[in-house]
mmCIF file of all heavy atoms in Angstrom:
data_model
loop_
_atom_site.group_PDB
_atom_site.id
_atom_site.type_symbol
_atom_site.label_atom_id
_atom_site.label_comp_id
_atom_site.label_asym_id
_atom_site.label_seq_id
_atom_site.Cartn_x
_atom_site.Cartn_y
_atom_site.Cartn_z
ATOM 1 N N LEU A 38 12.957 3.185 8.615
ATOM 2 C CA LEU A 38 13.018 2.491 9.904
ATOM 3 C C LEU A 38 11.758 2.612 10.591
ATOM 4 O O LEU A 38 11.191 1.657 11.265
ATOM 5 C CB LEU A 38 14.104 3.128 10.740
ATOM 6 C CG LEU A 38 14.247 2.527 12.181
ATOM 7 C CD1 LEU A 38 14.590 1.017 12.047
ATOM 8 C CD2 LEU A 38 15.442 3.170 12.933
ATOM 9 N N LEU A 39 11.028 3.794 10.563
ATOM 10 C CA LEU A 39 9.707 4.017 11.091
ATOM 11 C C LEU A 39 8.676 3.114 10.566
ATOM 12 O O LEU A 39 7.874 2.476 11.230
ATOM 13 C CB LEU A 39 9.295 5.409 10.944
ATOM 14 C CG LEU A 39 7.898 5.820 11.491
ATOM 15 C CD1 LEU A 39 7.840 5.610 13.011
ATOM 16 C CD2 LEU A 39 7.520 7.242 11.099
ATOM 17 N N GLY A 40 8.756 2.882 9.198
ATOM 18 C CA GLY A 40 7.833 1.968 8.506
ATOM 19 C C GLY A 40 8.102 0.549 8.979
ATOM 20 O O GLY A 40 7.050 -0.158 9.210
ATOM 21 N N LEU A 41 9.260 0.154 9.163
ATOM 22 C CA LEU A 41 9.628 -1.158 9.589
ATOM 23 C C LEU A 41 9.082 -1.414 11.031
ATOM 24 O O LEU A 41 8.463 -2.455 11.300
ATOM 25 C CB LEU A 41 11.095 -1.463 9.591
ATOM 26 C CG LEU A 41 11.670 -2.737 10.144
ATOM 27 C CD1 LEU A 41 10.987 -3.968 9.407
ATOM 28 C CD2 LEU A 41 13.126 -2.810 10.100
ATOM 29 N N ILE A 42 9.283 -0.451 11.887
ATOM 30 C CA ILE A 42 8.805 -0.533 13.355
ATOM 31 C C ILE A 42 7.284 -0.673 13.294
ATOM 32 O O ILE A 42 6.709 -1.510 14.031
ATOM 33 C CB ILE A 42 9.259 0.676 14.086
ATOM 34 C CG1 ILE A 42 10.785 0.637 14.367
ATOM 35 C CG2 ILE A 42 8.537 0.707 15.458
ATOM 36 C CD1 ILE A 42 11.309 1.959 14.829
ATOM 37 N N ASN A 43 6.622 0.184 12.577
ATOM 38 C CA ASN A 43 5.111 0.127 12.467
ATOM 39 C C ASN A 43 4.649 -1.241 11.970
ATOM 40 O O ASN A 43 3.646 -1.792 12.447
ATOM 41 C CB ASN A 43 4.569 1.253 11.622
ATOM 42 C CG ASN A 43 4.666 2.563 12.304
ATOM 43 O OD1 ASN A 43 4.628 2.680 13.518
ATOM 44 N ND2 ASN A 43 4.744 3.648 11.497
ATOM 45 N N ASP A 44 5.334 -1.795 10.961
ATOM 46 C CA ASP A 44 4.943 -3.089 10.396
ATOM 47 C C ASP A 44 5.078 -4.136 11.482
ATOM 48 O O ASP A 44 4.206 -5.029 11.596
ATOM 49 C CB ASP A 44 5.803 -3.447 9.161
ATOM 50 C CG ASP A 44 5.331 -2.787 7.901
ATOM 51 O OD1 ASP A 44 4.197 -2.110 7.949
ATOM 52 O OD2 ASP A 44 6.090 -2.813 6.875
ATOM 53 N N ILE A 45 6.214 -4.163 12.151
ATOM 54 C CA ILE A 45 6.436 -5.176 13.194
ATOM 55 C C ILE A 45 5.388 -5.064 14.336
ATOM 56 O O ILE A 45 4.849 -6.123 14.815
ATOM 57 C CB ILE A 45 7.890 -5.055 13.756
ATOM 58 C CG1 ILE A 45 8.911 -5.477 12.711
ATOM 59 C CG2 ILE A 45 8.058 -5.902 14.996
ATOM 60 C CD1 ILE A 45 10.384 -5.195 13.122
ATOM 61 N N LEU A 46 5.058 -3.830 14.748
ATOM 62 C CA LEU A 46 4.077 -3.644 15.753
ATOM 63 C C LEU A 46 2.682 -4.098 15.335
ATOM 64 O O LEU A 46 1.993 -4.767 16.047
ATOM 65 C CB LEU A 46 4.015 -2.191 16.152
ATOM 66 C CG LEU A 46 5.256 -1.598 16.975
ATOM 67 C CD1 LEU A 46 5.149 -0.141 17.161
ATOM 68 C CD2 LEU A 46 5.373 -2.304 18.284
ATOM 69 N N ASP A 47 2.328 -3.775 14.062
ATOM 70 C CA ASP A 47 1.067 -4.221 13.544
ATOM 71 C C ASP A 47 0.972 -5.724 13.528
ATOM 72 O O ASP A 47 -0.033 -6.337 13.920
ATOM 73 C CB ASP A 47 0.853 -3.678 12.123
ATOM 74 C CG ASP A 47 0.352 -2.190 12.194
ATOM 75 O OD1 ASP A 47 -0.109 -1.795 13.263
ATOM 76 O OD2 ASP A 47 0.325 -1.598 11.123
ATOM 77 N N PHE A 48 2.006 -6.384 12.963
ATOM 78 C CA PHE A 48 1.925 -7.831 12.877
ATOM 79 C C PHE A 48 1.966 -8.520 14.227
ATOM 80 O O PHE A 48 1.257 -9.540 14.444
ATOM 81 C CB PHE A 48 3.097 -8.388 11.958
ATOM 82 C CG PHE A 48 2.794 -9.735 11.414
ATOM 83 C CD1 PHE A 48 2.033 -9.818 10.237
ATOM 84 C CD2 PHE A 48 3.152 -10.894 12.053
ATOM 85 C CE1 PHE A 48 1.691 -11.035 9.672
ATOM 86 C CE2 PHE A 48 2.785 -12.142 11.550
ATOM 87 C CZ PHE A 48 2.118 -12.251 10.296
ATOM 88 N N SER A 49 2.683 -7.905 15.160
ATOM 89 C CA SER A 49 2.642 -8.461 16.531
ATOM 90 C C SER A 49 1.239 -8.368 17.173
ATOM 91 O O SER A 49 0.819 -9.303 17.770
ATOM 92 C CB SER A 49 3.639 -7.647 17.436
ATOM 93 O OG SER A 49 4.954 -7.818 16.944
ATOM 94 N N LYS A 50 0.550 -7.249 16.915
ATOM 95 C CA LYS A 50 -0.761 -7.074 17.406
ATOM 96 C C LYS A 50 -1.711 -8.160 16.751
ATOM 97 O O LYS A 50 -2.541 -8.752 17.433
ATOM 98 C CB LYS A 50 -1.330 -5.721 17.114
ATOM 99 C CG LYS A 50 -0.774 -4.572 17.895
ATOM 100 C CD LYS A 50 -1.385 -3.259 17.508
ATOM 101 C CE LYS A 50 -0.709 -2.115 18.244
ATOM 102 N NZ LYS A 50 -1.200 -0.799 17.747
ATOM 103 N N ILE A 51 -1.572 -8.293 15.437
ATOM 104 C CA ILE A 51 -2.383 -9.334 14.745
ATOM 105 C C ILE A 51 -2.166 -10.711 15.269
ATOM 106 O O ILE A 51 -3.121 -11.488 15.630
ATOM 107 C CB ILE A 51 -2.203 -9.272 13.254
ATOM 108 C CG1 ILE A 51 -2.611 -7.913 12.699
ATOM 109 C CG2 ILE A 51 -2.824 -10.441 12.590
ATOM 110 C CD1 ILE A 51 -2.245 -7.688 11.274
#
Side-chain angles (χ1 to χ4, degrees):
L38 181 57
L39 177 62
L41 175 59
I42 292 169
N43 285 335
D44 281 350
I45 291 172
L46 289 173
D47 277 347
F48 203 84
S49 296
K50 287 179 185 177
I51 292 171

